[in-house]
């Protein structure tokens, strides 16, 4: 896989255990909380299968081999080798796939569509993960005492609201406890499982792949129902790939094989052993593994872990949104640093997620009923990951080898998806509808930006020609520096034309600045700006930002001093064009989508705030553009 960018900054030696411990909470939260609800969904979910020895062993075997094939093999061995300068996640895969298909516009457009679908499913998964994690943890109270059942939903909503409310403050105070809490969680999973396995060692037969094969062959419909729940056990595995940017490959892989995988396998086997002994335990095999005295502490630990999972999902949603803004997939939004400066906080995403999560809890009211929606979006997300990675590795391996390998993964994930689609009426339609709305919005924005850029370019006036004509009749020059932000450094900004038309003057020094965004995470200061001196004290500056950089135009312009262009903040005025768009019939995009794009454009965040330009040094000049 020589075409994949290898992450050279992986931790080794003393740092490896520390990073692996921290990764337990950030990377493995979703897959680590699956024992709360995954096996229960098989035997007590929306479509339960009979509790029998063959069904228990067959289902457990499917769980075990899904963890081995999908997570251990697909993600840790193959997917985690695909990184964008050390960064992982859906945006990294889109970027790598587009690079691999450079010069093939039709295939590249297909990748963009697939990537947008994957991003929409990522946000849909981010909506259901907090709901099912927290709700399934709090439902342990019903096992402790049925009298507490009426408080399950209120407590779940309260925990979720507190989590989302405090996002703006960051997590610095609790981050130091995340690793130890998650280590305690996985240790608890293992101990609970071992205790039950010792009582029923015959459950270890589930490790034999023949149990899974026999179950599928002999009980096809039952196996299909179980497969829908097996998808829950591997849901969230994408976090292994996304976590590379923060921790590197070695800590993530080490944590998985040394801690997470053994704990999960032992706990699932323990739940199966309990079911072999008592079929009535199917109502909640996870919490019934615990002795009576440990139930309330276990509920408290599970709720704390679910809160950690939710926090990670919320942070990931904000991070992906910010990357999508920088790469042009969504409009500018207000992006804030959290109070501890450790993470990004996107208010629109935060409160939008909270609204949907609370509606899911109130509308579905049970982790069993949330299982099918979770399985649908998780299975779809896994399929998108396989498709994008296949496009990346095909460049080095060829399409035949890539197709054979990832075709096998896709077959498994398609079975997961089909099995969960059978439960579409259980709430899956709501998440698919939400994901569809996100897809339409992102695709519309992406295509609308292309049309908008094409229209601007078709009407642009070359800066070099403008300067030649201006030299023949130079207007009055006034002191100071004017900076005109423009998408194209070679074209005359509309704001410059309007300023000249209305004010009849130019500043002593005029600088045309074009901000561009790279598909690499960070751009070093040495390659940040490209300065060109033009005639009559006109300058052009190209500023390049990576998708993890903070787009700070004043700071970037300070780097121009090395090229002989210095800025005095008190003598510099920024001119920004504020365009008003109008849709038109018979364009390259449907009229209704044009109206959506125009609405999104009008409500996009201010470039002044986005580029960190001092608001008291900005002049906005309007223009009208028809798509």
């Amino acid at each position: 896989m020589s075409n994949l960018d290898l992450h050279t900054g992986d931790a080794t030696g003393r740092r490896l255990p520390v990073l692996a411990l921290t990764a337990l909470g950030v990377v493995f939260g979703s897959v680590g909380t699956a024992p709360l609800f995954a096996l229960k969904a098989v035997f007590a979910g929306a479509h339960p299968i009979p509790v029998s020895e063959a069904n228990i062993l067959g289902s457990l075997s499917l769980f075990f081999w899904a963890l081995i094939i999908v997570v251990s093999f697909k993600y840790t061995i193959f997917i985690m080798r695909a990184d964008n300068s050390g960064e992982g996640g859906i945006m990294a895969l889109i970027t790598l796939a587009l690079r691999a298909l450079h010069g093939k516009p039709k295939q590249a457009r297909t990748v963009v569509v697939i990537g947008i679908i994957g991003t929409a499913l990522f946000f849909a998964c981010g909506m259901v993960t907090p709901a099912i994690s927290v709700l399934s943890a709090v439902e342990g109270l019903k096992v402790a005492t049925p009298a507490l059942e009426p408080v399950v939903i209120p407590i779940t909503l309260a925990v979720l609201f507190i989590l989302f409310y405090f996002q703006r403050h960051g997590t610095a105070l609790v981050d130091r406890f995340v690793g130890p809490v998650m280590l305690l969680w996985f240790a608890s999973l293992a101990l609970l499982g071992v205790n039950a396995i010792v009582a029923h060692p015959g459950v270890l037969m589930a490790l034999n792949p023949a149990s899974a094969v026999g179950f599928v062959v002999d009980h096809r419909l039952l196996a299909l129902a179980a497969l829908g729940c097996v998808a829950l056990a591997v849901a969230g595995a994408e976090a292994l790939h996304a976590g590379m940017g923060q921790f590197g490959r070695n800590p993530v892989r080490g944590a998985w094989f040394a801690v997470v995988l053994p704990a999960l396998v032992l706990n699932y086997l323990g739940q199966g052993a309990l079911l072999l002994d008592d079929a009535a335990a199917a109502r909640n095999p996870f919490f019934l593994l615990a002795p009576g005295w440990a139930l309330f502490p276990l509920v408290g630990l599970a709720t704390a872990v679910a809160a950690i999972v939710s926090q990670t999902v919320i942070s990931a949603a904000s991070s992906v949104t910010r990357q999508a803004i920088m790469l042009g997939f969504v409009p500018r939004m207000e992006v804030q640093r959290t109070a501890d400066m450790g993470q990004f906080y996107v208010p629109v995403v935060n409160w939008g997620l909270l609204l949907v999560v609370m509606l899911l809890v109130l509308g579905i009211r049970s982790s069993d009923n949330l299982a099918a929606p979770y399985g649908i979006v998780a299975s779809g997300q896994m399929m998108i990951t396989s498709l994008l990675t296949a496009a990346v590795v095909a460049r080095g391996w060829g399409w035949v080898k890539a197709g054979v390998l990832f075709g096998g993964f896709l077959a498994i994930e398609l079975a997961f998806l089909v099995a969960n689609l059978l439960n579409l009426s259980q709430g899956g339609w709501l998440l698919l509808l939400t994901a569809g709305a996100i897809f339409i919005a992102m695709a519309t924005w992406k295509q609308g930006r292309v049309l908008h850029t094409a229209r601007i370019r078709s009407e642009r006036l070359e800066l070099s020609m403008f300067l030649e004509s201006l030299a023949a009749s130079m207007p009055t020059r006034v002191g100071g520096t004017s900076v005109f932000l423009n998408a194209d450094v070679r074209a005359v900004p509309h704001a410059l034309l309007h300023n000249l038309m209305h004010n009849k003057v130019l500043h002593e020094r005029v600088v045309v600045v074009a901000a561009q965004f790279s598909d690499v995470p960070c751009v070093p200061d040495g390659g940040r700006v490209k300065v060109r001196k033009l005639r009559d004290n006109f300058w052009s500056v190209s500023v390049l930002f990576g998708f993890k950089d903070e787009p700070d135009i004043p700071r970037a312009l300070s780097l121009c001093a090395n090229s002989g262009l210095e800025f005095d903040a008190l003598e510099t005025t920024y001119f920004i064009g504020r365009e008003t768009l109008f849709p038109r019939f018979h364009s390259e995009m449907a009229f209704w989508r044009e109206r959506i794009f125009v609405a999104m454009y009008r409500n996009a965040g201010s470039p002044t705030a986005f580029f960190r330009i001092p608001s008291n040094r900005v002049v906005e000049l309007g223009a009208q553009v028809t798509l």
Side-chain angles (χ1 to χ4, degrees):
M1 299 173 71
S2 58
N3 60 306
L4 302 186
D5 302 321
L6 296 182
H7 183 19
T8 59
D10 278 330
T12 56
R14 296 178 180 178
R15 294 181 62 231
L16 183 58
V18 176
L19 288 174
L21 179 63
T22 309
L24 287 178
V26 176
V27 176
F28 298 106
S30 294
V31 73
T33 53
L36 286 167
F37 49 81
L39 194 63
K40 181 179 72 166
V42 176
F43 298 102
H47 295 282
I49 70 174
V51 182
S52 67
E53 181 176 353
N55 292 348
I56 293 170
L57 294 179
S59 298
L60 286 174
S61 190
L62 290 175
F63 272 72
F64 174 73
W65 287 105
L67 290 170
I68 297 299
I69 295 173
V70 176
V71 184
S72 299
F73 191 61
K74 172 187 167 182
Y75 281 94
T76 63
I77 295 178
F78 288 100
I79 302 293
M80 287 183 66
R81 294 183 64 189
D83 69 90
N84 182 12
S85 301
E87 292 296 320
I90 182 68
M91 288 296 161
L93 286 178
I94 295 172
T95 299
L96 292 172
L98 289 175
R99 287 182 193 168
L101 296 173
H102 181 69
K104 300 177 180 179
K106 290 185 179 179
Q107 292 91 329
R109 283 195 293 270
T110 301
V111 164
V112 169
V113 172
I114 293 174
I116 292 175
I117 294 173
T119 307
L121 290 173
F122 164 82
F123 283 111
C125 206
M127 296 169 188
V128 70
T129 299
I132 194 171
S133 298
V134 177
L135 184 56
S136 59
V138 179
E139 281 176 342
L141 294 173
K142 295 191 299 184
V143 178
T145 169
L148 293 176
E149 183 172 358
V151 303
V152 168
I153 297 299
I155 291 177
T156 299
L157 294 175
V159 171
L160 290 169
F161 179 80
I162 292 171
L163 281 171
F164 281 88
Y165 180 79
F166 283 101
Q167 282 301 301
R168 71 184 71 181
H169 301 292
T171 58
L173 292 177
V174 298
D175 281 349
R176 69 189 66 181
F177 303 108
V178 168
V181 169
M182 292 304 298
L183 185 60
L184 176 62
W185 171 251
F186 286 114
S188 301
L189 293 183
L191 289 174
L192 289 172
V194 167
N195 187 49
I197 293 171
V198 169
H200 273 281
V203 75
L204 295 175
M205 290 295 296
L207 300 180
N208 187 342
S211 298
V213 174
F215 181 52
V216 172
V217 172
D218 297 336
H219 307 282
R220 296 179 182 178
L221 292 178
L222 295 180
L224 186 63
L227 271 177
C229 304
V230 172
L232 304 176
V234 294
E238 284 78 9
L240 276 74
H241 185 243
M244 288 192 304
Q246 187 172 356
F247 304 103
R249 289 190 192 85
N250 291 338
V252 173
R253 286 173 174 164
W256 169 252
F257 286 108
V259 177
V260 181
L261 178 60
L264 292 177
V265 172
L266 289 172
N267 192 264
Y268 284 127
L269 290 175
Q271 291 186 46
L274 177 64
L275 292 176
L276 289 173
D277 184 58
D278 180 13
R283 62 190 178 95
N284 203 316
F286 175 79
F287 283 108
L288 290 174
L289 274 178
W293 61 265
L295 265 177
F296 283 108
L298 185 61
V299 171
L301 177 60
T303 304
V305 170
I308 291 172
V309 173
S310 302
Q311 162 62 42
T312 302
V313 169
I314 300 165
S315 298
S318 295
S319 179
V320 169
T321 300
R322 184 176 181 274
Q323 292 183 31
I325 292 172
M326 304 291 273
L327 295 174
F329 284 93
V330 296
R332 287 188 302 269
M333 300 180 190
E334 181 185 0
V335 179
Q336 304 172 3
R337 280 282 192 177
T338 54
D340 58 18
M341 300 301 290
Q343 298 167 339
F344 292 102
Y345 170 69
V346 183
V348 171
V349 173
N350 186 74
W351 297 113
L353 276 178
L354 174 61
L355 176 62
V356 177
V357 168
M358 296 185 82
L359 288 176
L360 282 172
V361 173
L362 288 171
I364 298 181
R365 305 185 69 83
S366 167
S367 61
D368 294 335
N369 294 332
L370 280 170
Y374 190 29
I376 291 172
V377 294
S379 302
Q381 194 178 6
M382 286 186 279
M383 292 182 67
I384 295 298
T385 301
S386 295
L387 289 171
L388 291 175
T389 310
V392 176
V393 302
R395 184 178 181 182
W397 282 11
W399 281 104
V400 174
K401 291 182 179 179
V404 170
L405 174 63
F406 285 93
F409 294 139
L410 282 167
I412 295 173
E413 292 153 1
L414 181 61
F416 290 159
L417 181 62
V418 170
N420 280 290
L421 285 175
L422 297 177
N423 299 322
L424 192 63
S425 62
Q426 299 297 322
W429 64 270
L430 176 61
L431 278 181
L432 288 182
L433 186 65
T434 304
I438 295 172
F439 169 80
I440 290 174
M442 291 182 65
T444 298
W445 179 257
K446 190 69 174 177
Q447 185 178 358
R449 289 294 296 173
V450 171
L451 296 179
H452 176 249
T453 301
R455 177 55 57 92
I456 294 297
R457 286 180 176 174
S458 68
E459 299 174 352
R460 78 176 185 178
L461 177 61
E462 293 289 341
L463 183 58
S464 57
M465 296 176 59
F466 172 75
L467 294 181
E468 289 180 8
S469 63
L470 194 65
S473 179
M474 183 63 67
T476 302
R477 308 292 287 260
V478 297
T481 300
S482 58
V483 175
F484 291 88
L485 268 64
N486 200 37
D488 189 349
V489 75
R490 297 167 298 176
V492 181
H494 284 174
L496 174 56
L497 293 175
H498 283 277
N499 179 60
L500 188 58
M501 181 186 304
H502 293 289
N503 297 323
K504 314 298 184 187
V505 296
L506 288 173
H507 283 81
E508 179 183 0
R509 186 169 56 178
V510 179
V511 184
V512 178
V513 176
Q516 300 170 339
F517 298 95
S518 172
D519 60 5
V520 299
C522 300
V523 174
D525 284 349
R528 176 82 64 200
V529 295
K530 182 179 180 181
V531 181
R532 290 181 59 215
K533 185 175 182 180
L534 309 175
R535 61 183 300 170
D536 300 322
N537 212 14
F538 273 75
W539 299 70
S540 69
V541 178
S542 296
V543 184
L544 187 63
F545 297 107
F547 61 77
K548 291 192 72 175
D549 289 326
E550 293 192 42
D552 189 329
I553 289 293
R555 182 185 178 279
L557 293 182
S558 69
L559 302 174
C560 298
N562 296 330
S563 301
L565 180 60
E566 296 188 22
F567 291 86
D568 182 346
L570 297 179
E571 295 292 328
T572 302
T573 302
Y574 295 86
F575 289 83
I576 298 176
R578 172 66 72 173
E579 296 172 343
T580 301
L581 302 186
F582 293 94
R584 67 182 177 92
F585 289 103
H586 309 299
S587 72
E588 294 86 345
M589 190 164 61
F591 185 74
W592 64 272
R593 292 184 64 197
E594 283 193 359
R595 292 180 66 87
I596 293 176
F597 175 73
V598 169
M600 294 171 71
Y601 192 90
R602 289 175 179 171
N603 290 282
S606 166
T608 302
F610 185 74
F611 289 111
R612 299 182 176 273
I613 301 172
S615 57
N616 60 344
R617 306 300 304 174
V618 173
V619 175
E620 290 193 1
L621 297 170
Q624 294 184 350
V625 178
T626 301
L627 288 174

